[in-house]
C-alpha cells in the first residue's frame, strides 16, 4: 500500500511539474502553485515517512514558493515536538523544515519557531532554529525580546555554575548580532562579563560593535541592568575597549559616575564596591574631561569629603576627586572648590586641624580652573596662619587670576 501511494505521489508531482512549465500565469489573481498544492496534500495524507519525502522534494523547489508548506509543516512539528527526540524521521522533517523556513523569508512563523526552540533539546536542531530566527527576526520586537531574555538568563546560569550548551549560546549570540537591535546592548555586555568562553565573548563584542545609535547612552543604560558588583569590571572593559572613541568613553564615564553617586545602599560591602567604581571613573575623567561630567564630579567630591571626614576613604581618593574637578574646567567645579576653601579657611581661623595636602590641592586646582569666583577665598587664605607653602600657593593662584 505504501509503495503504491508513493508511486502515485511521484506521478502527481511529475504531472504538476509539467503543468507548471506549460500553464500561463493568471493576470487577475494569484493562484496556488500546483506543486505546492500537491505537496501540501501529500504531506497531510501521508505517514511520517511520506511527510519526510515531501519535505525533501520541497527543498528542491524555490524556497519562497514553498513558504506555505513550510509553515504548515512547522505546525505539525510543533504539535509533535515531544517525539522529535525519539523519532529520527520526525527529527529530519523538523530540520529540513526549519532550514527551508530560514530561506523562505516568512516572518509570520517566528512565534512558532521560538516555541519549537524551547520545546526541543537537540543542539543541531536548536542551532538551525536560531539561524532561521536570525534570518527572519530583524525588526520583530518579540523575537528580540525572546532572544535577549534567553541569552541573558543563560549567561546568568553560567555564572551560577550551570553548564549550558556553548554551541547553542554562541549561535544565539551570533544571530542576535545579525538582528542588531539596540535593546540588545545590555545583553551583549552581560555575556561579555559572564566570560562563558573566549569565542562567545568575542561574538558578543562583535555584536556590541554592530549596534547603531548613541553608544555612550546605550552603555550607561546597560550598566543599569547590571548588579553594582559588576560595574567595576564593566567600566574597565568599556573604558579600555577599542570599539569606543575617547569622547564616547568620557560621556559613558560621566553617566556611570552619575549612577554611582546616586545609588543608595546600606550594605558596607556594596558601598565599598561603589567607591572603587567611582575611583576608576574619576581617574578616567581627570585624563579625559567632558562637560557632561561636571555635575557628577561635584556630587562625587561631596560624597568623598563626607567619606574622608568619617574615615571611610583615603586622602588619595579625596585628592583625586579634587584633581578631577580642576581638570573639568567647569564653573560648577570652581564654585564648589571655592566653597570648600572657605570651609578650610574657617577651620584654620578657629584653630581646627586640617590636612595641608588637601588645602594645597584645592588652591592649585582653583588656580588651574582660573575662575574669578575663587578670588575671595584665595585672598582670605593669604591672611591666615597657613604654612608658608600654602600661603605661596594661594598668592600664586591670586596672581594668576589677576592676569
Amino acid at each position: 500500500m505504501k509503495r503504491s501511494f508513493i508511486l502515485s505521489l511521484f506521478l502527481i508531482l511529475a504531472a504538476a511539474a509539467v503543468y507548471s512549465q506549460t500553464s500561463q500565469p493568471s493576470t487577475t489573481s494569484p493562484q496556488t502553485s500546483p506543486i505546492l498544492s500537491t505537496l501540501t496534500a501529500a504531506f497531510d495524507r501521508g505517514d511520517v515517512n511520506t511527510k519526510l519525502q515531501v519535505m525533501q522534494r520541497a527543498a528542491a523547489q524555490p524556497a519562497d514558493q514553498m513558504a506555505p508548506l513550510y509553515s504548515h509543516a512547522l505546525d505539525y512539528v510543533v504539535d509533535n515536538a515531544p517525539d522529535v527526540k525519539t523519532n529520527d524521521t520526525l527529527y529530519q522533517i523538523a530540520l529540513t523544515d526549519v532550514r527551508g523556513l530560514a530561506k523562505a523569508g516568512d516572518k509570520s512563523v517566528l512565534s512558532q519557531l521560538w516555541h519549537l526552540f524551547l520545546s526541543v533539546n537537540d543542539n543541531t536542531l536548536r542551532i538551525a532554529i536560531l539561524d532561521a530566527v536570525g534570518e527572519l527576526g530583524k525588526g520583530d520586537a518579540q523575537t528580540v525580546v525572546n532572544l535577549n531574555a534567553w541569552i541573558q538568563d543563560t549567561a546568568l546560569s553560567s555564572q551560577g555554575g550551570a553548564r549550558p550548551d556553548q554551541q547553542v549560546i554562541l549561535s544565539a549570540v551570533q544571530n542576535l548580532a545579525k538582528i542588531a537591535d539596540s535593546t540588545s546592548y545590555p545583553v551583549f555586555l552581560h555575556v561579555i562579563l559572564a566570560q562563558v568562553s573566549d569565542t562567545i565573548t568575542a561574538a558578543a563584542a562583535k555584536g556590541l560593535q554592530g549596534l547603531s545609535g548613541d553608544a555612550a547612552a546605550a552603555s550607561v543604560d546597560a550598566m543599569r541592568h547590571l548588579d553594582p558588583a559588576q560595574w567595576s569590571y564593566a567600566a574597565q572593559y568599556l573604558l579600555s575597549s577599542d570599539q569606543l572613541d575617547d569622547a564616547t568613553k568620557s560621556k559613558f564615564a560621566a553617566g556611570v559616575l552619575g549612577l554611582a553617586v546616586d545609588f543608595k545602599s546600606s550594605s558596607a560591602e556594596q558601598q565599598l564596591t561603589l567607591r572603587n567604581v567611582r575611583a576608576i571613573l574619576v581617574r578616567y575623567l581627570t585624563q579625559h574631561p567632558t562637560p557632561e561630567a561636571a555635575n557628577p564630579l561635584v556630587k562625587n567630591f561631596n560624597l568623598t569629603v563626607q567619606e574622608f571626614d568619617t574615615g571611610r576613604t583615603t586622602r588619595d581618593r579625596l585628592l583625586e576627586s579634587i584633581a578631577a574637578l580642576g581638570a573639568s574646567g567647569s564653573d560648577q567645579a570652581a564654585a564648589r572648590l571655592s566653597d570648600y576653601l572657605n570651609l578650610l579657611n574657617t577651620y584654620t581661623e578657629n584653630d581646627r586641624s586640617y590636612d595641608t595636602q588637601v588645602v594645597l590641592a584645592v588652591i592649585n586646582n582653583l588656580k588651574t580652573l582660573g575662575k574669578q569666583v575663587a578670588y575671595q577665598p584665595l585672598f582670605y587664605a593669604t591672611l591666615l596662619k597657613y604654612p608658608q607653602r600654602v600661603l605661596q600657593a594661594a598668592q600664586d593662584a591670586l596672581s594668576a587670576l589677576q592676569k
Side-chain angles (χ1 to χ4, degrees), residues 338-388:
S338 296
D339 287 343
Y340 191 54
L341 182 56
N342 272 326
L343 178 63
L344 294 174
N345 287 341
T346 301
Y347 288 169
T348 303
E349 190 173 27
N350 292 295
D351 293 324
R352 180 172 170 178
S353 62
Y354 58 86
D355 189 298
T356 302
Q357 283 185 265
V358 173
V359 178
L360 276 171
V362 172
I363 291 172
N364 289 332
N365 280 280
L366 283 172
K367 178 182 177 181
T368 298
L369 287 163
K371 307 293 185 179
Q372 289 299 316
V373 68
Y375 187 91
Q376 185 274 332
L378 285 171
F379 179 80
Y380 196 62
T382 65
L383 306 178
L384 298 174
K385 294 180 181 180
Y386 281 118
Q388 183 57 41

Side-chain angles (χ1 to χ4, degrees), residues 306-324:
Q306 294 173 16
E307 292 161 352
F308 179 69
D309 288 345
T310 55
R312 288 176 292 150
T313 197
T314 64
R315 178 202 291 139
D316 286 345
R317 291 280 174 86
L318 178 57
L319 295 176
E320 287 172 351
S321 71
I322 294 169

Side-chain angles (χ1 to χ4, degrees), residues 253-254 256-262 271 273-286 293-308 312-314 316-325 332 336-337:
V256 178
L257 183 60
L259 296 180
V261 295
D262 288 339
Q271 289 174 3
T273 297
L274 290 167
R275 284 197 292 273
N276 291 335
V277 171
R278 284 161 42 207
I280 292 169
L281 300 169
V282 165
R283 288 172 198 144
Y284 188 88
L285 290 168
T286 303
N295 187 56
L297 282 174
V298 168
K299 287 185 175 182
N300 174 74
F301 172 76
N302 293 339
L303 272 178
T304 306
V305 168
Q306 294 173 16
E307 292 161 352
F308 179 69
R312 288 176 292 150
T313 197
T314 64
D316 286 345
R317 291 280 174 86
L318 178 57
L319 295 176
E320 287 172 351
S321 71
I322 294 169
L325 288 177
Q332 192 174 353
R336 183 63 187 94
L337 286 181

Side-chain angles (χ1 to χ4, degrees), residues 185 189 208 219 223 234-241 244 249 252:
Y185 198 107
L189 183 57
L208 273 185
S219 299
M223 299 291 281
Q236 289 176 358
Y237 171 79
L238 289 170
L239 292 176
S240 63
S241 171
L244 303 177
K249 291 177 183 179
F252 162 74

Side-chain angles (χ1 to χ4, degrees), residues 190-267:
H190 202 145
V191 171
I192 291 167
L193 298 179
Q195 293 290 294
V196 180
S197 74
D198 290 345
T199 305
I200 292 172
T201 298
K206 185 176 181 181
L208 273 185
Q209 190 174 18
L211 299 180
S212 59
D214 187 336
S219 299
V220 174
D221 184 63
M223 299 291 281
R224 299 178 197 273
H225 293 77
L226 299 176
D227 188 282
Q230 296 177 294
W231 284 8
S232 178
Y233 179 64
Q236 289 176 358
Y237 171 79
L238 289 170
L239 292 176
S240 63
S241 171
D242 57 7
Q243 297 177 15
L244 303 177
D245 59 33
D246 287 345
T248 299
K249 291 177 183 179
S250 293
K251 291 179 182 178
F252 162 74
V256 178
L257 183 60
L259 296 180
V261 295
D262 288 339
F263 195 94
K264 307 300 181 186
S265 174
S266 58
S267 164

